[in-house]
Amino acid sequence: MASSGTALIYDEEMTRYKLLWDDPVCNIEVPERLTVSYAALQEHGLAQRCVSLPVRQATDKEILLAHSEEYLEAVKKTPGMTLEELIEFTKQYGDVYFHPNIYHCAKMAVGATLQLVDNVMNGKVRNGMALVRPPGHHSQRSAANGFCVFNNVAIAALYAKKHFNLNRVLIVDWDVHHGQGIQYCFEEDPSVLYFSWHRYEHQKFWPNLQESDYDTVGKGKGAGFNVNLPWNKVGMENSDFLSVFFHVLLPIAYEFSPELVFVSAGFDSAIGDPEGHMCATPEVFAHLTHLLMSLAGGKLCVILEGGYNLKSLAQSVCQTVQTLLGDPAPLLPGLCGPCESAAESIQNVRAAQQQYWGCFKHSSVEPVLEPRTKCHRTEEGEKVVEGAVQIETVSKEIQEKSWPEPPPRIAPPARTAVALPGGVEDSLPKSCLRVSAAPLTQEQAACGIRDFSPKALEDERILHSLGNVFSLLDKIVKKEVRNGMAVVPEVLVTAACTVQHALTSLSTSDCRVLLVLVGEGEVPVELTDDGKLLLVQVCSKEPEDRKSKFHVPVCLKSSGDTAGFLHAVLGLLLPVAYEYSPGLVLAVLGENCSIGPAAWAQLVSLLQGLAQGQILALVQQGSEADNIRAAVTSLLGDPCPPLGPLGAALLENGQALERDRQNLQTHWGMLQTKKS
Ligand code: FKS
Ligand code: ZN
């Protein structure tokens, strides 16, 4: 049995320290960061749905996993210090402050993180979030830094390796600052893959380190296990963040196949943040979370780092937790691909990582090593005084930015409905609804379908099956169920009829159907240019001339190339699908398809980030029982079994994929990985 449940770890104690003197650098790190986040979770009924776990204090031994004895002993003395002594002590470090109670809180922040690891690893919960202060990702072996005292996530990764014998841990640092403390800790360690994106501005932004750039990839055995994506401009949007996930992080992460995933979850990447100056909406964090939930069998530990706009922080935390709980992801309209600067960074990091990761092997990526990209080290004193006033005004403007409150994410009363043809043994979980409807008449079935042999519709089995499929679809469109699956006799004809039926039932505003077909053959639908249907077909046939931008053939020759399939899904299908933003997804598994149930489950799982999870899966009758079960467990929200470490795609497939991506880039901005 897969574990279920989401942990939430929070203790008011961690609000009981604050900045005691005047410091314009540190005054944004306030106790309210935690209280507003937790209050928002309660207000939306999310905290109540989580398993609340008690916080504990980390032991010395645990802290020493990542820190020196000297440093720990020094921090231990801070509770007894006077204000003057605290100020003096603080001066040794950069952009941080101490308080008599911060040592106690820092031990709890580490302890909370370890509690989360323990409970995820022993299966008491599937995933969870720890709301902690102080944050951790800047702190180093012997130094506090950037509001951080102990490195919560680094300690937790070391702890997980040690206590649960893990060989592969992934840390995704989506905070807007570079977690250089985590990078230093694992630089030479190939068992911990560290990914960070961060505001960089060619080294002009704090912490102004050369080693935050894309060409720092790790050392020795750890080479390739450190991935830095610098943002060289502010104002990055959802498109930029998702592009990096699709074209950098996820391909690497799938290839690595972690056994456990941590998120250093700073929400200073979100809109309105006075530090980040970025424009990601809170909803994007739902998608980032969702995309990571398909890794490591769903074992995901999210740990709070930064986030200083209290409104955007609270909303983003809610989006994240609600996704961990399994609610449908929000729509993310308006995606259009990365901006020039983001594309340049994507290209550069792919080039820098190319020799370490098979997923980049087939792309031609010469790095853009323009001199201006390198070394603009901020000179001491460059922060000119006249600039200070300007910074203040910009900061005000940023914080006063407004954005619409994320709409409520309502889960339909039932998750999954299934329709199985008579005679097919039903060994599916009891929790899914069984649907059985009256057969359609030929007229009903053929409605709207042009140019296709009505012969198939004389087959009673098909008319019966279509009755069920239409009924599933109606339930999904009416939001009585979230998703559905049917095993059908003629999958291609069924898909065609279902598309037509969907187009007549969807409201005009979301009348876009994404049809993903894995398998051979042609779906007898007309592909028009009105964009109401997007067909993505993964099959072994070389595509003829493309009919329209809404027909995306993905050529995968030779079966069993799991890496090739996954790269196609991450690098082609998902970016196009996200940009299309469908109102409904049809996922179709054709005859004797050889991608295997595990890869099929991954696809079904990833597609659920679209269309608010409204997805109907059709599986050809006669397909292996494993494929049917895989679709249903994935639709029910159970974690996908990991595919295991992957290599490069087969040469032929890798090259075809790269070619397809190039060709489609003019139509779909989300496919761009290069500066134009
Ligand atoms: C430039 C000054 C930068 C320090 C910013 C620290 C950021 C801390 C954080 C953490 F997650 F650790 F909390 N001052 N304006 O957000 O990365
Ligand atoms: Zn930060």
Side-chain angles (χ1 to χ4, degrees):
M1 242 323 247
S3 359
S4 63
T6 295
L8 180 63
I9 313 193
Y10 171 69
D11 195 310
E12 247 182 41
E13 179 60 17
M14 288 181 283
T15 66
R16 296 194 188 110
Y17 78 90
K18 61 176 189 188
L19 178 63
L20 295 176
W21 54 89
D22 206 37
D23 179 352
V25 167
C26 292
N27 62 12
I28 53 174
E29 205 294 295
V30 294
E32 289 74 23
R33 297 180 52 242
L34 286 194
T35 47
V36 298
S37 300
Y38 191 69
L41 287 170
Q42 284 183 310
E43 205 178 297
H44 290 89
L46 299 169
Q48 298 83 332
R49 291 168 55 194
C50 291
V51 177
S52 113
L53 295 175
V55 170
R56 68 170 173 89
Q57 291 186 51
T59 64
D60 283 8
K61 207 170 142 212
E62 289 161 347
I63 293 165
L64 291 172
L65 285 169
H67 296 279
S68 69
E69 222 151 321
E70 298 74 31
Y71 176 60
L72 174 58
E73 291 310 314
V75 176
K76 269 189 192 171
K77 299 207 176 83
T78 58
M81 289 183 185
T82 64
L83 184 64
E84 287 67 40
E85 287 168 334
L86 284 169
I87 295 177
E88 215 30 55
F89 183 78
T90 293
K91 279 187 187 151
Q92 307 173 67
Y93 309 111
D95 297 48
V96 66
Y97 63 88
F98 279 82
H99 176 281
N101 198 35
I102 202 171
Y103 169 56
H104 185 225
C105 293
K107 278 192 291 186
M108 296 202 114
V110 176
T113 311
L114 299 183
Q115 285 282 70
L116 184 53
V117 172
D118 276 330
N119 283 274
V120 165
M121 287 311 299
N122 68 25
K124 257 198 83 180
V125 294
R126 178 186 306 166
N127 57 31
M129 176 154 194
L131 287 179
V132 300
R133 270 179 86 237
H137 69 155
H138 299 301
S139 96
Q140 297 148 44
R141 199 170 159 71
S142 296
N145 183 259
F147 314 153
C148 302
V149 176
F150 299 136
N151 202 316
N152 308 318
V153 170
I155 294 170
L158 292 165
Y159 175 92
K161 273 179 45 168
K162 183 169 152 198
H163 291 270
F164 300 98
N165 277 318
L166 301 186
N167 296 314
R168 292 181 312 277
V169 175
L170 169 64
I171 301 173
V172 177
D173 189 338
W174 75 41
D175 188 280
V176 85
H177 300 95
H178 183 215
Q180 83 278 36
I182 303 183
Q183 172 170 306
Y184 298 152
C185 187
F186 299 109
E187 241 162 359
E188 298 190 49
D189 185 347
S191 66
V192 179
L193 171 56
Y194 177 64
F195 167 88
S196 173
W197 60 36
H198 33 268
R199 181 171 170 191
Y200 192 56
E201 296 173 289
H202 303 288
Q203 219 177 312
K204 286 209 169 67
F205 191 69
W206 188 88
N208 314 92
L209 302 168
Q210 182 152 29
E211 62 267 32
S212 305
D213 214 345
Y214 63 83
D215 53 359
T216 299
V217 297
K219 294 183 187 148
K221 283 197 179 131
F225 296 93
N226 190 86
V227 182
N228 283 332
L229 188 291
W231 300 123
N232 287 317
K233 292 245 159 72
V234 296
M236 294 298 167
E237 299 175 358
N238 294 349
S239 286
D240 301 294
F241 291 98
L242 277 172
S243 293
V244 171
F245 258 52
F246 293 140
H247 298 301
V248 180
L249 173 64
L250 294 175
I252 293 179
Y254 268 93
E255 188 167 341
F256 181 65
S257 191
E259 299 157 299
L260 176 63
V261 180
F262 287 99
V263 180
S264 265
F267 297 99
D268 40 14
S269 292
I271 190 160
D273 190 276
E275 269 289 305
H277 294 195
M278 298 298 172
C279 295
T281 63
E283 288 96 324
V284 90
F285 295 101
H287 290 274
L288 303 183
T289 304
H290 182 262
L291 290 164
L292 295 177
M293 284 164 71
S294 299
L295 292 159
K299 292 197 284 298
L300 183 58
C301 298
V302 180
I303 322 301
L304 183 68
E305 299 277 3
Y308 307 99
N309 178 312
L310 297 182
K311 194 162 128 202
S312 129
L313 168 66
Q315 291 177 354
S316 302
V317 166
C318 287
Q319 291 293 320
T320 302
V321 171
Q322 194 164 5
T323 308
L324 291 174
L325 283 163
D327 282 0
L331 293 172
L332 214 54
L335 296 176
C336 60
C339 68
E340 281 254 317
S341 173
E344 180 181 87
S345 293
I346 291 172
Q347 180 179 4
N348 284 337
V349 70
R350 283 168 59 105
Q353 298 286 345
Q354 187 171 36
Q355 56 177 304
Y356 307 106
W357 297 99
C359 53
F360 303 141
K361 196 168 152 186
H362 304 298
S363 48
S364 56
V365 280
E366 293 111 63
V368 196
L369 280 169
E370 287 165 28
R372 64 182 192 84
T373 328
K374 304 303 299 176
C375 224
H376 288 254
R377 207 177 178 81
T378 311
E379 303 292 326
E380 223 20 70
E382 200 180 295
K383 297 164 201 145
V384 264
V385 188
E386 66 154 53
V389 178
Q390 208 187 324
I391 289 167
E392 281 282 295
T393 2
V394 171
S395 180
K396 264 228 176 73
E397 263 169 43
I398 295 277
Q399 289 193 72
E400 279 159 14
K401 240 186 156 74
S402 69
W403 62 93
E405 164 141 0
R409 294 160 56 181
I410 298 154
R415 174 105 192 193
T416 303
V418 296
L420 302 172
V424 167
E425 197 214 331
D426 184 351
S427 60
L428 300 175
K430 292 218 171 52
S431 53
C432 39
L433 222 73
R434 268 43 175 198
V435 165
S436 144
L440 297 187
T441 64
Q442 283 188 42
E443 294 70 42
Q444 285 170 319
C447 156
I449 302 202
R450 268 166 282 174
D451 184 35
F452 114 92
S453 131
K455 198 118 200 102
L457 297 185
E458 282 165 24
D459 187 332
E460 244 172 76
R461 287 178 316 143
I462 296 181
L463 291 172
H464 194 201
S465 155
L466 277 172
N468 286 336
V469 172
F470 281 25
S471 151
L472 282 177
L473 191 86
D474 293 341
K475 287 189 189 311
I476 293 171
V477 171
K478 284 195 220 134
K479 305 213 165 160
E480 290 168 20
V481 301
R482 189 190 310 191
N483 56 37
M485 197 256 342
V487 176
V488 302
E490 285 288 338
V491 90
L492 298 176
V493 172
T494 309
C497 299
T498 313
V499 166
Q500 294 305 334
H501 184 61
L503 291 178
T504 58
S505 3
L506 289 167
S507 72
T508 19
S509 62
D510 46 28
C511 198
R512 287 178 307 282
V513 176
L514 167 64
L515 171 55
V516 179
L517 168 59
V518 185
E520 315 299 321
E522 209 167 311
V523 190
V525 283
E526 214 174 324
L527 277 159
T528 49
D529 271 324
D530 60 6
K532 290 193 170 165
L533 172 64
L534 169 64
L535 168 62
V536 182
Q537 181 167 12
V538 185
C539 70
S540 67
K541 224 176 99 217
E542 201 77 53
E544 311 143 27
D545 44 296
R546 196 181 324 288
K547 295 159 191 135
S548 86
K549 73 173 257 197
F550 299 104
H551 179 222
V552 179
V554 183
C555 180
L556 258 195
K557 296 224 172 101
S558 56
S559 58
D561 183 7
T562 308
F565 177 75
L566 218 83
H567 295 158
V569 169
L570 300 172
L572 198 66
L573 194 167
L574 287 182
V576 171
Y578 265 82
E579 184 165 347
Y580 181 63
S581 190
L584 180 83
V585 179
L586 280 181
V588 179
L589 186 66
E591 204 139 21
N592 44 36
C593 189
S594 44
I595 61 160
W600 164 241
Q602 283 289 343
L603 173 64
V604 171
S605 175
L606 289 165
L607 288 173
Q608 288 178 70
L610 299 155
Q612 300 175 297
Q614 300 188 100
I615 168 168
L616 178 56
L618 302 177
V619 179
Q620 172 64 45
Q621 194 171 343
S623 178
E624 284 169 52
D626 283 349
N627 285 325
I628 298 166
R629 248 191 312 273
V632 170
T633 41
S634 175
L635 289 171
L636 282 168
D638 288 345
C640 298
L643 295 170
L646 300 171
L650 294 175
L651 181 67
E652 193 180 14
N653 291 336
Q655 286 173 342
L657 176 67
E658 224 15 68
R659 206 188 41 233
D660 290 343
R661 226 166 41 75
Q662 301 275 335
N663 290 337
L664 285 159
Q665 262 175 40
T666 43
H667 303 295
W668 301 99
M670 286 299 288
L671 293 177
Q672 282 166 21
T673 56
K674 278 184 195 179
K675 230 178 105 176
S676 45

